[in-house]
Amino acid sequence: MKIIQLEYFIAVVKYNSFTKAADFLHISQPSLTNTIKKIEADLGYDLFLRTTKDIKITEKGIHFYNYAVQLVQNYHQTLEKMYDLNMGHAPKIKLSILESSNQWVSQVVAMHQKQYQDQTYLASEVHDQSTILERLLNFENHLGLTNEQIVHDDIHSIPLYEESYVLITPKDTFPNRNKVSIKSLPLILPTKGSQVRKHLDDYFNRLNIHPNIIIEADRFEASTNFVHRGLGYAIIPRVYYQSFNARDLDAIEIKPTLSRSIYINYLKKRKHPERVLSFIDLCIYYWNIKE
């Protein structure tokens, strides 16, 4: 069975239609139908139940689909890694970053590229710590930033800096910042499930505060845009307040103070190229000179 056959099958499931899948794949419908029949013959069971009106995936088809998706993803990831090994180019440095770290990471990349002018990078925002760990253990990323320490025998987890959370408001909304209470303010908070939201929920629970949450947003950029519109007040990490998007807003320390630590993480057993180790050192150096 070939990868292209699996991709054909995945397209049929995605569009729930042979006609639409064939259009997407730029092949004829009879050719697609014959491919699916060939897969079913090789497997010895039906993947779809077909009627004159529609198609439905079978229970075995669902299990096969899950395996097919994983196989196709692994295939393309492997191809990318093989291309990265092209001797004419240095492999990409692949890192997972936090939204709040975009600005300083870009400065570190600029510093690093002065030393390695042919270096390329792949940066992706990942906020789920288990996903970051999985990518490191599977050799998918060279390093990852987290807002909590990763405790794992195979991972170096090094603290970079500590930052407080701040309340951001339109300019001059609160002349006396020392008397601002978040208890009754209309708040814009990160969505449930994020690590930042967990920090904030724990904070509210400790202080027996029932926050007036009017908007939940999955990015700090969205939260600050809502503040710009006068829709409420957002709680964000202080480092993000330095970003372009948070200009023309005030940042007020919340009291009692709530803070978090940012860690850089990488795999112990991986033989990292000198360029990757240099990048890690630059991240640490950046925050050492900041302090």
Side-chain angles (χ1 to χ4, degrees), residues 33-190:
T33 301
N34 289 336
T35 298
I36 299 302
K37 287 181 178 178
K38 175 70 166 56
I39 295 174
E40 290 176 324
D42 289 343
L43 294 172
Y45 54 79
D46 290 335
L47 299 171
F48 299 102
L49 295 176
R50 304 165 177 81
T51 68
T52 54
K53 294 183 179 180
D54 60 9
I55 61 171
K56 293 182 179 179
I57 190 168
T58 63
E59 285 297 318
K60 289 183 178 179
I62 292 172
H63 290 296
F64 182 72
Y65 172 78
N66 291 330
Y67 286 120
V69 168
Q70 186 175 353
L71 283 169
V72 170
Q73 287 177 344
N74 289 340
Y75 169 76
H76 288 295
Q77 287 172 358
T78 301
L79 275 186
E80 183 182 351
K81 290 174 183 177
M82 295 304 100
Y83 287 132
D84 280 351
L85 291 177
N86 185 330
M87 296 306 292
H89 301 280
K92 291 188 187 78
I93 294 179
K94 299 180 181 180
L95 56 152
S96 57
I97 62 175
L98 304 170
E99 185 186 1
S100 62
S101 67
N102 286 337
Q103 183 171 348
W104 71 262
V105 167
S106 67
Q107 295 179 44
V108 171
V109 169
M111 293 163 60
H112 190 260
Q113 207 164 41
K114 286 181 180 178
Q115 186 177 359
Y116 304 100
Q117 296 181 4
D118 62 339
Q119 183 62 58
T120 59
Y121 309 82
L122 178 61
S124 53
E125 281 187 17
V126 184
H127 295 271
D128 178 62
Q129 190 156 305
S130 60
T131 302
I132 294 170
L133 176 59
E134 181 181 355
R135 289 188 180 189
L136 292 173
L137 294 175
N138 291 337
F139 302 94
E140 295 175 34
N141 280 357
H142 294 97
L143 58 102
L145 299 177
T146 58
N147 55 18
E148 285 191 350
Q149 184 178 20
I150 292 181
V151 180
H152 192 284
D153 289 342
D154 294 328
I155 299 294
H156 284 298
S157 192
I158 302 170
L160 290 180
Y161 60 95
E162 187 170 323
E163 63 177 336
S164 60
Y165 288 99
V166 294
L167 179 76
I168 59 168
T169 74
K171 279 286 187 184
D172 303 322
T173 302
F174 299 102
N176 191 343
R177 299 186 177 195
N178 293 326
K179 293 187 177 180
V180 177
S181 172
I182 62 174
K183 290 183 179 180
S184 58
L185 292 178
L187 296 179
I188 301 163
L189 298 185

Side-chain angles (χ1 to χ4, degrees), residues 255-271:
K255 295 181 179 179
T257 302
L258 173 65
S259 62
R260 68 174 185 171
S261 296
I262 303 300
Y263 291 81
I264 188 167
N265 307 275
Y266 59 99
L267 195 58
K268 293 178 182 178
K269 64 183 179 182
R270 182 170 182 170
K271 177 61 177 173

Side-chain angles (χ1 to χ4, degrees), residues 275-291:
R275 295 173 178 228
V276 173
L277 296 175
S278 172
F279 189 91
I280 293 170
D281 287 342
L282 275 177
C283 289
I284 297 171
Y285 171 75
Y286 179 91
W287 284 103
N288 282 342
I289 61 173
K290 277 278 186 181
E291 296 173 359

